[in-house]
Amino acid sequence: MSRTQPQPCPARPQDLPVKADLARLRVEYVKDSRLAYLGHLDLISTVERSVRRAALPFSIGNGFARRMRIQFSSALPVGASSACEYFDLRLEERLDAGVALEMLRRSTPSALAPLRAAYVPGRLPALEAWLDRASWELRCAGARFSAAELAEAIERVRQSGQITYLRGEREKRVDVCATLVGFEVSDGAEGPVVALETRSSSSGALRPRVLLDAALAASGLCEPGSVRVRRTAQHHDENGRLMEPFGPFCELGPTPLS
């Protein structure tokens, strides 16, 4: 005899609040240590469990699966760390942002530690699409090439206009002219350090390691001993103006490396 499973929310779908009218809490967190190798789907699952353990009054969607109403910034490449990841959580009750942040800190692994939280306008576009500018740092430890040689190699790839590479068994292409905003290469203690500014859109995004591999291959440079990739900032580009994830929105901001 089958038993009917209880619904996570007793209300009928048509009686639930409209998503845009719910409180939208934006949380910034890090992705460090061994959790840099956590895949995006596993990251989503870990954060959702943390939200549940924190006992925040999160909202459930109206669809058949009735999932938590949460959105994440664009997925990091596996192995890349970050100082600036974000998620937007819809709450049925507008708690004080500082209180909500402390509740999350107590329930989240330290390698995914929440840094700050604030409410943002409910009708902003989806977070993944809205944050379309990113800053990256690549550290090439044990490299046998100089910063100047690497800068010349990256410039050669930019001048070519396109990168073709394999992702699994599929051939992918990325428009370098559209996705690479600018770069700088400097000498670090362990080897060259690359600072990148990239732009993403519905047509694609540039992965820092893909750019580095293409530059090394195009110039015949040897693979460094190790490469550490870290996302250092995310912004929204509003007609050339960089907007911070927490606002103020639509204000003029600097555009680095352009």
Side-chain angles (χ1 to χ4, degrees), residues 58-141:
F58 60 87
S59 175
I60 296 292
N62 297 357
F64 177 78
R66 310 293 285 275
R67 294 187 176 90
M68 182 184 298
R69 280 174 158 156
I70 187 169
Q71 296 176 339
F72 290 82
S73 50
S74 61
L76 279 168
V78 175
S81 64
S82 176
C84 56
E85 296 306 289
Y86 301 91
F87 66 82
D88 283 355
L89 180 66
R90 300 283 182 166
L91 299 179
E92 293 186 340
E93 178 186 345
R94 193 181 181 96
L95 300 180
D96 179 82
V99 171
L101 178 61
E102 187 56 37
M103 293 168 71
L104 279 171
R105 282 176 173 163
R106 290 197 298 263
S107 66
T108 304
S110 59
L112 294 175
L115 301 176
R116 55 177 173 160
Y119 288 100
V120 298
R123 296 183 182 273
L124 283 177
L127 188 60
E128 182 177 4
W130 190 74
L131 290 175
D132 54 3
R133 286 284 296 273
S135 303
W136 303 85
E137 181 184 81
L138 289 83
R139 293 187 171 270
C140 304

Side-chain angles (χ1 to χ4, degrees), residues 5-257:
Q5 295 294 324
Q7 293 294 323
C9 177
R12 299 177 303 170
Q14 61 268 31
D15 297 332
L16 294 175
V18 177
K19 181 172 71 173
D21 296 333
L22 293 166
R24 184 175 182 175
L25 183 70
R26 179 160 293 174
V27 178
E28 180 182 38
Y29 64 100
V30 299
K31 189 181 183 190
D32 269 329
S33 187
R34 291 180 298 173
L35 292 192
Y37 293 91
L38 194 68
H40 192 59
L41 293 180
D42 290 329
L43 169 71
I44 291 173
S45 178
T46 302
V47 171
E48 287 184 347
R49 286 199 299 270
S50 298
V51 170
R52 293 178 187 276
R53 283 197 298 267
L56 291 176
F58 60 87
S59 175
I60 296 292
N62 297 357
F64 177 78
R66 310 293 285 275
R67 294 187 176 90
M68 182 184 298
R69 280 174 158 156
I70 187 169
Q71 296 176 339
F72 290 82
S73 50
S74 61
L76 279 168
V78 175
S81 64
S82 176
C84 56
E85 296 306 289
Y86 301 91
F87 66 82
D88 283 355
L89 180 66
R90 300 283 182 166
L91 299 179
E92 293 186 340
E93 178 186 345
R94 193 181 181 96
L95 300 180
D96 179 82
V99 171
L101 178 61
E102 187 56 37
M103 293 168 71
L104 279 171
R105 282 176 173 163
R106 290 197 298 263
S107 66
T108 304
S110 59
L112 294 175
L115 301 176
R116 55 177 173 160
Y119 288 100
V120 298
R123 296 183 182 273
L124 283 177
L127 188 60
E128 182 177 4
W130 190 74
L131 290 175
D132 54 3
R133 286 284 296 273
S135 303
W136 303 85
E137 181 184 81
L138 289 83
R139 293 187 171 270
C140 304
R144 300 180 188 177
F145 48 79
S146 67
E149 289 174 319
L150 182 54
E152 183 180 346
I154 295 175
E155 182 60 32
R156 186 174 300 172
V157 172
R158 176 153 74 168
Q159 293 296 328
S160 71
Q162 182 175 271
I163 296 175
T164 302
Y165 66 101
L166 287 176
R167 188 173 177 185
E169 297 182 352
R170 296 182 60 186
E171 186 176 83
K172 304 273 289 185
R173 290 184 177 84
V174 59
D175 184 345
V176 182
C177 296
T179 56
L180 178 58
V181 178
F183 71 93
E184 292 177 354
V185 187
S186 59
D187 289 308
E190 299 176 300
V193 178
V194 185
L196 293 177
E197 278 289 323
T198 63
R199 178 186 294 110
S200 60
S201 67
S202 57
S203 59
L206 176 63
R207 289 172 175 252
R209 188 58 202 258
V210 168
L211 175 64
L212 178 63
D213 289 345
L216 298 179
S219 299
L221 299 177
C222 296
E223 183 79 14
S226 67
V227 178
R228 296 195 299 273
V229 180
R230 186 172 181 82
R231 184 149 61 187
T232 57
Q234 296 192 72
H235 296 93
H236 170 65
D237 189 336
E238 185 72 27
N239 299 319
R241 298 174 296 173
L242 291 189
M243 295 165 58
E244 295 286 341
F246 287 95
F249 300 105
C250 297
E251 284 206 359
L252 185 63
T255 304
L257 301 181

